[in-house]
């Protein structure tokens, strides 16, 4: 596979530091994820076919960033919660009728999750021989995990501050080992960690329901949420971290303070209330992963039409058009697990085409 070994030296974003913003690390200034990528999940159950599709579409810096595909159609343990639960260190989870519950010892569900992750890594390794460039792996972030995993009493781990701390620490240890494994398998890659946090906004707003369904768990203090995200992101030791959420009202400022390098979101859920936060993020060097391609089967517009809203936003904010292609990576709106295999292939290819249109005609 003709992988590119480097990227062109285009202009960098401003090094301006806004009030209240932590100084950017070298990785934040230099991270170049490429023009397009996917979110993570793919349809079907064939790990080799998924890896072949992803690496064949995103061949490196010129076309986009390949990633470790997830195949939730295989069942419990391949879903996003089970997959990440299988990475935990000294914490284990099993499937109950109500969902995933923390247990005392590794069981069949943990072994299944780890086996499927191993198969996916084997497939990725096969199709990335000689690859040099950014390579993305995904895991559920600490707050979505705390909202999804149950304690022994049936309530979410979110209900217990101590359990949240333990869970975040276990996740960080597991992710560190996982990232080391990927680096051994694909030694030429710059590993990019994506934390999936679809429940983060609900956690911050106190909207996660209790087991009874009649009440909600107390909102997590925003400083605690930020600190925990920063600690988990720290497993990258300054390397690139993407935070993905497909919920509305993305807390851009909080995520930037937590030290993430890029924010991945459903572009169609933005409102003008987000304008200032997005403008500050771009000027501050944070990359935007703009979800503009539908994640389920349906007609696709022409590539230029898919990114028309991104161009409109850029003009409305008065941002430098020359920063557009460097600052924005085009993605589907969310994972592609619910799509047909044929549509998933077309959607990923469409992301590449739309990104090319954005670069060729930023205005």
């Amino acid at each position: 596979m003709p992988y590119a070994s480097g990227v062109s030296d285009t202009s960098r974003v401003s090094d301006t530091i806004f009030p209240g913003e932590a100084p950017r690390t070298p990785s934040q200034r230099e991270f170049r994820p490429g023009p397009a990528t996917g979110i993570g999940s793919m349809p079907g159950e064939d790990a080799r076919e998924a890896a072949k599709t992803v690496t064949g579409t995103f061949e490196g810096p010129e076309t986009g960033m390949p990633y470790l595909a997830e195949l939730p159609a295989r069942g419990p343990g391949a879903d996003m919660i089970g997959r990440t639960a299988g990475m935990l260190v000294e914490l284990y989870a099993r499937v109950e009728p109500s969902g995933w519950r923390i247990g005392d010892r590794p069981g069949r569900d943990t072994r299944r999750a780890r086996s499927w992750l191993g198969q996916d890594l084997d497939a990725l390794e096969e199709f990335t021989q000689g690859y040099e460039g950014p390579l993305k792996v995904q895991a559920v972030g600490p707050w979505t995990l705390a909202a999804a995993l149950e304690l022994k009493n049936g309530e979410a781990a979110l209900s217990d501050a101590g359990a949240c701390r333990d869970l975040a620490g276990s996740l960080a240890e597991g992710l560190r080992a996982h990232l080391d494994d990927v680096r051994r398998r694909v030694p030429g890659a710059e590993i990019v960690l994506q934390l999936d946090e679809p429940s983060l906004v609900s956690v911050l707003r106190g909207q996660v329901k209790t087991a009874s369904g009649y009440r909600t768990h107390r909102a997590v203090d925003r400083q605690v949420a930020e600190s925990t995200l920063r600690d988990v992101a720290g497993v990258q030791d300054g390397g690139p971290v993407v935070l993905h959420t497909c919920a509305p009202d993305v807390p851009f400022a909080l995520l930037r303070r937590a030290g993430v390098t890029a924010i991945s979101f459903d572009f169609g859920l933005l409102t003008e209330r987000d304008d200032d936060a997005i403008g500050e993020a771009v000027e501050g060097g944070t990359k935007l992963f703009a979800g503009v391609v539908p994640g389920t089967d349906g007609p696709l517009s022409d590539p230029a039409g898919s990114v028309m809203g991104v161009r409109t936003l850029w003009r409305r904010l008065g941002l430098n058009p020359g920063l557009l292609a460097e600052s924005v990576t085009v993605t589907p709106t969310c994972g592609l697990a619910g799509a047909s295999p044929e549509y998933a292939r077309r959607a990923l290819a469409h992301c590449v085409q739309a990104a090319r249109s954005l670069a060729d005609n930023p205005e």
Side-chain angles (χ1 to χ4, degrees):
M1 186 172 292
Y3 287 113
S5 60
V7 293
S8 58
D9 184 20
T10 55
S11 61
R12 299 187 186 277
V13 296
S14 167
D15 282 341
T16 302
I17 302 298
F18 287 83
E21 178 187 352
R24 293 192 302 280
T25 65
S27 67
Q28 285 178 296
R29 293 193 294 270
E30 298 169 5
F31 175 45
R32 296 177 183 273
T37 191
I39 300 301
S41 67
M42 294 287 287
E45 302 180 25
D46 188 331
R48 291 187 75 257
E49 184 61 30
K52 182 179 178 181
T53 296
V54 168
T55 57
T57 304
F58 305 119
E59 297 183 339
E62 298 301 321
T63 55
M65 178 168 57
Y67 57 93
L68 177 63
E70 304 164 353
L71 301 173
R74 293 178 297 196
D79 61 296
M80 62 186 295
I81 299 299
R83 184 184 186 91
T84 302
M87 298 180 190
L88 297 176
V89 173
E90 296 183 359
L91 282 178
Y92 312 102
R94 64 179 185 273
V95 178
E96 298 285 346
S98 55
W100 284 89
R101 181 171 295 182
I102 296 173
D104 296 325
R105 60 182 63 86
R108 177 182 59 187
D109 298 321
T110 297
R111 290 191 294 271
R112 183 190 300 119
R114 292 175 176 175
S115 174
W116 274 330
L117 176 59
Q119 291 176 28
D120 295 339
L121 287 167
D122 289 343
L124 179 70
E125 183 178 3
E126 176 183 351
F127 288 99
T128 51
Q129 294 297 307
Y131 175 74
E132 296 182 2
L135 174 66
K136 181 164 69 71
V137 298
Q138 306 83 218
V140 175
W143 293 113
T144 295
L145 202 60
L149 287 182
E150 299 175 356
L151 301 174
K152 293 179 182 179
N153 63 6
E155 288 293 351
L158 187 64
S159 64
D160 185 317
C164 289
R165 287 192 295 272
D166 290 345
L167 190 58
S170 175
L171 175 62
E173 287 190 55
L175 285 175
R176 189 172 286 110
H178 176 53
L179 295 172
D180 287 344
D181 185 21
V182 179
R183 291 187 182 100
R184 286 192 296 269
R185 290 170 178 266
V186 194
E190 175 191 22
I191 305 303
V192 179
L193 172 63
Q194 176 178 301
L195 296 175
D196 292 321
E197 283 281 14
S199 298
L200 177 60
V201 174
S202 296
V203 167
L204 294 172
R205 292 180 172 178
Q207 295 174 337
V208 177
K209 290 187 176 182
T210 60
S212 69
Y214 295 116
R215 296 184 298 110
T216 57
H217 293 289
R218 181 181 302 175
V220 171
D221 181 88
R222 296 177 75 89
Q223 290 186 337
V224 172
E226 176 187 324
S227 174
T228 301
L229 287 170
R230 184 183 300 110
D231 289 345
V232 174
V235 302
Q236 270 283 66
D237 296 324
V241 177
V242 180
L243 191 134
H244 168 71
T245 177
C246 47
D249 300 321
V250 178
F252 287 96
L254 183 152
L255 298 179
R256 292 173 59 222
R257 291 194 302 270
V260 304
T261 322
I263 301 171
S264 172
F265 54 93
D266 182 342
F267 188 85
L269 297 180
L270 293 181
T271 69
E272 292 193 10
R273 295 195 306 271
D274 298 307
D275 280 8
D276 288 345
I278 291 174
E280 290 181 0
V282 172
E283 292 291 344
T286 303
K287 306 295 185 184
L288 305 179
F289 284 32
V292 298
V293 178
T296 54
D297 290 44
L300 292 170
S301 70
D302 66 283
S306 293
V307 290
M308 181 172 60
V310 180
R311 291 193 184 94
T312 301
L313 172 65
W314 226 251
R315 288 195 296 269
R316 187 167 74 237
L317 296 179
L319 293 169
N320 179 358
L323 296 179
L324 185 50
E326 181 182 338
S327 300
V328 175
T329 294
V330 176
T331 74
T333 55
C334 208
L336 294 168
S340 66
E342 193 276 334
Y343 176 81
R345 286 189 290 270
R346 289 197 296 116
L348 294 181
H350 191 85
C351 289
V352 175
Q353 296 162 358
R356 188 174 297 126
S357 169
L358 204 60
D360 291 345
N361 183 19
E363 300 185 78

